[in-house]
Amino acid sequence: MDNYYGPGRNHLFVPGPVNIPEQVLRAMNRNNEDYRSPAIPAMTKVLLEDVKKIFKTIAGTPFLIPTTGTGAWESALTNTLSPGDRIVSFLIGQFSLLWIDQMQRLNFNVDVIESDWGAGANLEVLGSKLAADTGHTIKAICIVHNETATGVTNNLAAVRKLLDHYQHPALFLVDGVSSICALDFRMDEWGVDVALTGSQKALSLPTGMGIVCASPKALEASKTSKSVRVFFDWKDYLKFYKMGTFWPYTPSIQLLYGLREALDLLFEEGLDNVIERHTRLAKATRLAVEAWGLKNCTQKEEWFSDTVTAVVVPSYIDSSEIVRRGWKRYNLSLGLGLNKVAGKVFRIGHLGNLNELQLLGCLAGVEMILKDVGYPVKLGSGVAAACAFLQNSIPMIPSRI
């Protein structure tokens, strides 16, 4: 952005990477340190315990891996499964598609349940497959909790209910990249065996840390998994955990300090309050979209995402032009439509360290852009709808009461 100067701040409303709080930026503004000194292991030990809170797990074992969500995917798969193992996974958008592609390239036998882009995972088909699998050939169920390409959130509790109903021992692996720390997530209660997220989403950190959390069942599966793995091998982490030094290779010192501050901010606000804030921001966004006379890409209310809204535009408008115009004229960054919905939707990300007035600025910008590209929006309509809702739902800031 420094090479494309615009006055004021860039309004970042893609569904990740997200805005980084000033406190986190300051916490990361430090020199390198020796990660073998007593200080870094001591901090890491506390971080690992605190990270478990964002997954809502007591039994899980977390791994802080210097990677992206894609690397966290690979870590989850290769530590628990062997080449040729049958996986049932759901194709509902771009990121579930990419995870499935990774599974196939890692030589797993992927049984794909495909839905329209804008629909959630088809759990009826999953139930049929589990009922028919009396020989327990299905070794894992892999699902993206929140598909950011289409703004769809899947019901993880319902997946666990099906597994329990059919007494099926398959592992339950969940991509929580754009959900954990923003949407309700309960690893232990829902029997999730591997959950993962990325630092650049609701944690509001720079990209570069994949956080994976494994259940005791997943750790046991890792002992017999025959997939080749080196950098992502949990065994190396567990060895250094036991030694008390924690790191099998060099971590990003700056990201560790950033994670410490990010967690402190989340815990100060209260994780339940964070989730409620995301619910509020999402509702306001959807009300604005409705006031504009546009449709949500998500087909049913039960699948609405509280971290991203994918907005369908009329056929005579290229949604990519909305994103280009936002960046060029208003210093506003919106999400492009991807793959099957390219040119058809634009995405408003509303996750991470974000408040209501920031969101209203984004919505005002979108209205002007819609006017620019020839859509007959009434200026102020979406902002007014969002304001009417937010004015009656924003709580007092606890620290300022």
Side-chain angles (χ1 to χ4, degrees), residues 10-32:
N10 172 248
H11 299 271
L12 184 60
F13 283 86
V14 297
V18 304
N19 298 280
I20 303 173
E22 293 293 336
Q23 299 95 317
V24 172
L25 290 172
R26 288 194 294 270
M28 293 189 300
N29 185 20
R30 59 199 314 124
N31 211 327
N32 281 326

Side-chain angles (χ1 to χ4, degrees), residues 51-57 180 185-187 195 211 213:
V51 158
K52 291 165 69 171
K53 297 173 186 176
I54 67 174
F55 291 92
K56 292 190 179 174
T57 181
I180 291 168
F185 192 91
R186 310 177 192 183
M187 183 170 177
I211 305 178
C213 198

